Amino acid sequence: MSHMRKSRFFPCPADVLREYAERPVRNALPALPEEPEDKTPRLGSLVLDAFRGNPEARAAVESMRQRTERVMQ
């Protein structure tokens, strides 16, 4: 953008690199502290087993769904 303000010609690669090198450096904002998410280990394989008809996996997925439903209410 700043090249367009300075020149009436289309920028060549050297112009683009120069503009990149001259741009002001932005300080990265620190991440906000957050509690780690509760993750279910091997959730993907559990859901896949439930889709394939494994009754134990279906029961586990259903219990997780009901727990989540209670939390959301």
Side-chain angles (χ1 to χ4, degrees):
M1 284 294 237
S2 63
H3 178 77
M4 291 171 47
R5 285 184 239 124
K6 297 176 186 175
S7 176
R8 57 187 184 135
F9 299 106
F10 193 79
C12 68
D15 294 328
V16 173
L17 291 173
R18 183 174 41 255
E19 292 293 330
Y20 178 78
E22 293 174 356
R23 80 187 193 294
V25 177
R26 295 181 182 171
N27 292 335
L29 296 176
L32 296 175
E34 293 183 11
E35 295 295 319
E37 294 180 19
D38 290 331
K39 295 190 178 184
T40 305
R42 301 185 44 83
L43 178 63
S45 62
L46 182 67
V47 170
L48 187 60
D49 288 344
F51 279 136
R52 290 181 176 163
N54 183 338
E56 293 172 1
R58 284 185 177 200
V61 169
E62 182 63 22
S63 70
M64 281 190 284
R65 189 188 67 75
Q66 290 175 356
R67 272 189 302 202
T68 305
E69 193 173 273
R70 275 187 248 124
V71 169
M72 296 298 278
Q73 292 176 353

